[in-house]
Amino acid sequence: MTDTRQPVTSRPWGTSPDGQPITLYTLRNRNGLQADIMDYGGVVVRLLTPDREGNPGDIVLGHDRAEPYFSLETSPYFGALIGRYGNRIAGGQFTLDGKTYQLPLNNGPNSLHGGERGFNQRLWTGRPSTGEDGPALELTYLSPDGEEGYPGNLSVRVTYTLTEDNTLQIDYEATADAPTILNLTNHSYWNLSGDAGRDVLGHELTVRADHITPIDETLIPTGELLPVEGTPFDFRHPTAVGARVDGQGEQLRFAGGYDHNFVLRGEEGLKAAATLHDPLSGRRVEVFTTQPGMQFYSGNFLDGSIVGKGGQRYGHRWAVCLETQHFPDSPNQATFPSTRLQPGERFTSRTVYAFTAR
């Protein structure tokens, strides 16, 4: 059954902490899929897809209003755009051309997800459109030189497209006027049950990766590549999220479960990264990306204290994150793919989430 409603609509959705109006945009494709995206933080607030019986359900965690997104205590990056640097930087320091830059330490001894006020806490400029591929929302933001300690003025454009073949496509672009570092991602929390009705321990995950970047006790990569074979990190074949999450070994102990970067197979171009499937609802999301890595996070710090949409409390391991990215702490790891962005260069990447039910 096709959806005849307007492909793109918008409505006021409160005000930001500094008093600026927030807009919530709704994208709908002809098949009835719906994505609600807020210009504050570029947040994917709601994502409606059908189960195997055709019943629509919301498959991402979040809130019914804007205010809870202003605090990490009530919204730990739910659905947000992350930058300038997604994931962790050891000691909050990196060096470019002999100069050392200090970032805020907002995750123990490290800097996480762009600092105290990363891109998830910024108001973006939205421009909706409808094209051949489907309804889209372009978000732009100018991050000034020195913001959260990062050098250079950085112009960022992120475009969400809800395609007519039932994918959410995210295109990232950025340019800078001085050497800087960059690692952009989206931090959606996935629960394919629909409306977060239960935990995700029974969801089956496949990750097309033969190695992870192992971490130390502060969750910073050691610089090594650890083969997944024979470890709890072997998701090369469909495996329940909960099958080994509480297993033995220091890697799971350090993170309290999974919170690790997987080294994706393949080099250039758009490649298959992961598949998440809920056997109960039949919903399935396939992840494709041009990025070299993906952070798999098993909702270890969700503890039931956060009240989300519809009054639902988000319990322990009530969702997973599949964050396509460059590797954590790359500026301090010479063997990792570079995250340096030079003036005159244009950073581009694409991640696609494809939705089906069976």
Side-chain angles (χ1 to χ4, degrees), residues 13-14 38 45-46 62-70 307 309:
W13 219 52
M38 175 173 60
V45 171
R46 183 174 288 103
H63 298 284
D64 292 319
R65 54 194 181 90
E67 287 76 12
Y69 290 98
F70 303 159
V307 179
K309 286 174 279 191

Side-chain angles (χ1 to χ4, degrees), residues 36-357:
D36 292 353
I37 302 168
M38 175 173 60
D39 54 6
Y40 185 85
V43 171
V44 178
V45 171
R46 183 174 288 103
L47 188 53
L48 298 176
T49 69
D51 64 11
R52 66 165 62 89
E53 305 299 331
N55 302 309
D58 184 6
I59 61 172
V60 294
L61 270 55
H63 298 284
D64 292 319
R65 54 194 181 90
E67 287 76 12
Y69 290 98
F70 303 159
S71 168
L72 291 179
E73 292 182 0
T74 52
S75 182
Y77 305 101
F78 286 156
L81 293 177
I82 303 297
R84 285 189 194 190
Y85 199 95
N87 221 304
R88 295 172 176 86
I89 295 179
Q93 288 190 348
F94 65 94
T95 300
L96 286 178
D97 301 327
K99 182 177 179 179
T100 298
Y101 296 88
Q102 181 64 56
L103 311 174
L105 302 182
N106 64 323
N107 186 244
N110 305 313
S111 186
L112 175 67
H113 291 335
E116 294 173 349
R117 283 199 67 205
F119 289 177
N120 62 299
Q121 296 290 339
R122 305 291 176 174
L123 186 65
W124 296 61
T125 300
R127 188 175 70 86
S129 64
T130 303
E132 292 183 1
D133 293 333
L137 175 65
E138 177 189 278
L139 296 170
T140 55
Y141 178 67
L142 175 62
S143 176
D145 179 37
E147 183 176 78
E148 295 296 304
Y150 291 90
N153 295 295
L154 182 77
S155 297
V156 186
R157 175 184 291 110
V158 178
T159 304
Y160 290 103
T161 305
L162 188 63
T163 70
E164 301 300 353
D165 56 356
N166 295 347
T167 75
L168 181 65
Q169 178 175 296
I170 310 177
D171 289 293
Y172 303 87
E173 299 179 51
T175 58
D177 63 0
T180 192
I181 61 171
L182 182 70
N183 193 18
L184 302 174
T185 191
N186 174 273
H187 208 299
S188 287
Y189 284 65
W190 302 92
N191 183 321
L192 302 186
S193 69
D195 304 310
R198 48 185 161 80
D199 65 42
V200 295
L201 296 178
H203 283 30
E204 295 172 347
L205 178 66
T206 307
V207 183
R208 291 159 186 86
D210 300 314
H211 299 83
I212 64 166
T213 52
I215 55 176
D216 65 18
E217 62 274 10
T218 72
L219 309 188
I220 291 293
T222 64
E224 306 164 275
L225 299 183
L226 176 68
V228 300
E229 185 170 1
T231 77
F233 299 90
D234 191 349
F235 287 92
R236 292 176 296 178
H237 303 285
T239 303
V241 169
R244 299 173 300 218
V245 69
D246 292 316
Q248 301 298 310
E250 67 176 15
Q251 286 300 303
L252 291 176
R253 178 169 56 84
F254 286 159
Y258 297 108
D259 195 1
H260 294 76
N261 173 64
F262 284 70
V263 181
L264 300 175
R265 297 188 203 126
E267 297 294 332
E268 301 295 329
L270 193 68
K271 54 185 174 290
T275 301
L276 186 66
H277 174 235
D278 175 26
L280 294 180
S281 71
R283 290 188 181 89
R284 177 186 179 99
V285 57
E286 295 179 84
V287 185
F288 303 85
T289 189
T290 59
Q291 293 278 52
M294 185 191 76
Q295 188 85 1
F296 168 42
Y297 169 60
S298 54
N300 310 321
F301 299 112
L302 296 175
D303 61 6
S305 62
I306 297 174
V307 179
K309 286 174 279 191
Q312 175 66 63
R313 287 191 176 272
Y314 296 143
H316 191 47
R317 297 183 178 138
W318 222 250
V320 298
C321 298
L322 305 170
E323 305 157 64
T324 57
Q325 61 176 10
H326 271 62
F327 301 172
D329 199 38
S330 288
N332 299 313
Q333 305 277 356
T335 61
F336 287 0
S338 175
T339 55
R340 180 178 178 128
L341 181 64
Q342 287 285 102
E345 295 178 344
R346 178 177 295 274
F347 170 85
T348 61
S349 75
R350 171 175 288 181
T351 293
V352 177
Y353 299 97
F355 308 109
T356 54

